[in-house]
Amino acid sequence: MGTTQLDQQQPEPKHRHLKTVLTAALDTEFSVGQALPNERELAARFGVARATLRQALDQLELEGRLQRRRGVGTTVAPPRVGVDVSPRHHTWPGGPGDAWVTTDCAPAAPPAAVARLLEVPARTPVEVVRRSLVAQGQTVAEEHLYVPPAALPPADGPGAPHGAERGHGVLRRLRRLEPGGQDRAVELGSATAEQARLLDRLPGSPVLVVTTRYLAAGRPVAAAVATYRADTCRLTFGDEPAHPSGAD
Amino acid sequence: MGTTQLDQQQPEPKHRHLKTVLTAALDTEFSVGQALPNERELAARFGVARATLRQALDQLELEGRLQRRRGVGTTVAPPRVGVDVSPRHHTWPGGPGDAWVTTDCAPAAPPAAVARLLEVPARTPVEVVRRSLVAQGQTVAEEHLYVPPAALPPADGPGAPHGAERGHGVLRRLRRLEPGGQDRAVELGSATAEQARLLDRLPGSPVLVVTTRYLAAGRPVAAAVATYRADTCRLTFGDEPAHPSGAD
DNA sequence: CAGTGGTCTAGACCACACC
DNA sequence: GTGTGGTCTAGACCACTGA
């Protein structure tokens, strides 16, 4: 990062040029995990206001090139983690090979958009199973799985009133049904305060929101809203495996 | 939007509270396409600096709630467009039902990451087909399709030196091969200057980058890097159709 | 405690769209 | 022209981390 001054000729915004310069420096002069100089130092070095420098850093963080932590500093981020989110016809959440960890479960009314997906009336309480996904030592995603109890076979016992144990019961009941397909959507969102806490980010951080609808006998029986850290995750949709089914 | 002042009690940042208030206002007091007051007016109304207001607007725009256009103003955005990006085993790009429009084609060396995907040496020139996707009157995505000519059957004629016609020729040759599967990845990126121009956004705008690798006979024969406007698009992955194959 | 990134201000000027 | 959002400055203070 020998550059100490910008000499700008194009009518290109400074922050964009700055981003270009920093990208080149990251590619050539820094290694993963290495700390950058602090923002005041960098701004001075490039002869811009700190706010302008921050515009460039914001983008590099969005692109997963940098990792910033308040009170700590800015470091070069490792490459994004690939997370497989292929729809699998023949499996339910919580089946074999599912790396998600159930953390909690309690009945609650789903958001309006989820109620529509599930084709249940608004404000109908459903089971809400909360799960999280850890990859490479970091929580990379958080999920709310909404399951209307009416669609499930009866429980084989009294069941826990709440907590992970209740969630396991819901998933067990779900797996007794014959899977009837899934559909999925991915869009950009921003983390709520609670999601931010779980994902170790600030509220409002960009996230990839994956909405999945699970069908059985042609009817929606569950809907999942999974929130992935956009800075550290790459969602992969591999081809269907060669064997048609491995989890009945 | 009767609120004229914030009365903040929590140690919650102003811009976040502002975003909450604005979200509620958008839900209840505005309709799609309606213009908001300008930024100076809004900032004054809420008693904050314009930069603070802009932090809130930036997030709402990221979430696809607002649309801002320099020199024009800020309006309430319509719901995101769903775009189907399901991997389809049995089809090539440019096949039936493909809504993409080929705009140009010329040989060029692919980016290093694409060369790795294609398993060709770096700096090997390949055919680069450029296509774009229009939905609801708006260009929502832009694609570069990289095809090493060595993997293709020979052309049935001299072919155009460049332009859409050359692209059609490449896609025709590709379709003579037997499709052997695809894999896909989705991640967050930011628009280059050129992509921004095509998508009618500013450079650096958030985009969803979909990378697809096409296989034939177990070998990669093409790779596509498609860039979708993150503000206006929701990528959908429907289930595979019930019939195992309909395009051979 | 000192040092970091996060928030916020009150201005200024620029680029662009529309009249 | 006028009015809009986009960029930029030079400060200030806050929240958090780790020694």
Side-chain angles (χ1 to χ4, degrees), chain A residues 16 19 59 62-63 80 89 181-188 190 203-204 206 208 230 234-237 239, chain B residues 16 19 59 62-63 80 89 181-188 190 203-204 206 208 230 234-237 239:
Chain A
R16 192 157 28 198
K19 184 194 156 198
Q59 269 213 338
L62 192 83
E63 292 175 20
R80 284 186 172 138
H89 257 274
Q182 307 170 10
D183 47 63
R184 228 155 246 211
V186 179
E187 60 190 313
L188 181 58
S190 55
L208 296 170
R234 196 179 75 249
L235 307 183
T236 64
F237 295 78
D239 244 332
Chain B
R16 196 170 331 153
K19 183 193 159 199
Q59 268 211 342
L62 192 83
E63 293 175 19
R80 283 183 173 142
H89 256 277
Q182 306 169 11
D183 46 62
R184 226 157 248 213
V186 179
E187 62 190 312
L188 182 58
S190 54
L208 296 170
R234 196 179 74 248
L235 307 182
T236 64
F237 294 79
D239 241 335

Side-chain angles (χ1 to χ4, degrees), chain A residues 89-206:
Chain A
H89 257 274
H90 304 282
T91 61
W92 292 111
D98 187 335
W100 291 79
V101 176
T102 303
T103 56
D104 195 13
C105 174
V114 172
R116 270 194 300 278
L117 273 181
L118 288 171
E119 299 173 11
V120 300
R123 292 183 298 281
T124 305
V126 302
E127 295 290 340
V128 184
V129 183
R130 311 208 37 182
R131 308 196 301 163
S132 64
L133 180 64
V134 174
Q136 299 184 9
Q138 178 188 247
T139 301
V140 295
E142 182 271 338
E143 183 188 71
H144 286 206
L145 179 67
Y146 301 91
V147 190
L152 291 179
D156 52 1
H162 61 270
E165 199 182 332
R166 183 187 181 101
H168 293 138
V170 170
L171 293 175
R172 262 196 308 275
R173 289 161 72 192
L174 194 57
R175 286 198 295 272
R176 288 202 210 112
L177 298 174
E178 179 67 21
Q182 307 170 10
D183 47 63
R184 228 155 246 211
V186 179
E187 60 190 313
L188 181 58
S190 55
T192 65
E194 190 193 6
Q195 287 165 350
R197 190 173 44 75
L198 292 167
L199 299 176
D200 189 28
R201 301 261 54 205
L202 288 179
S205 302

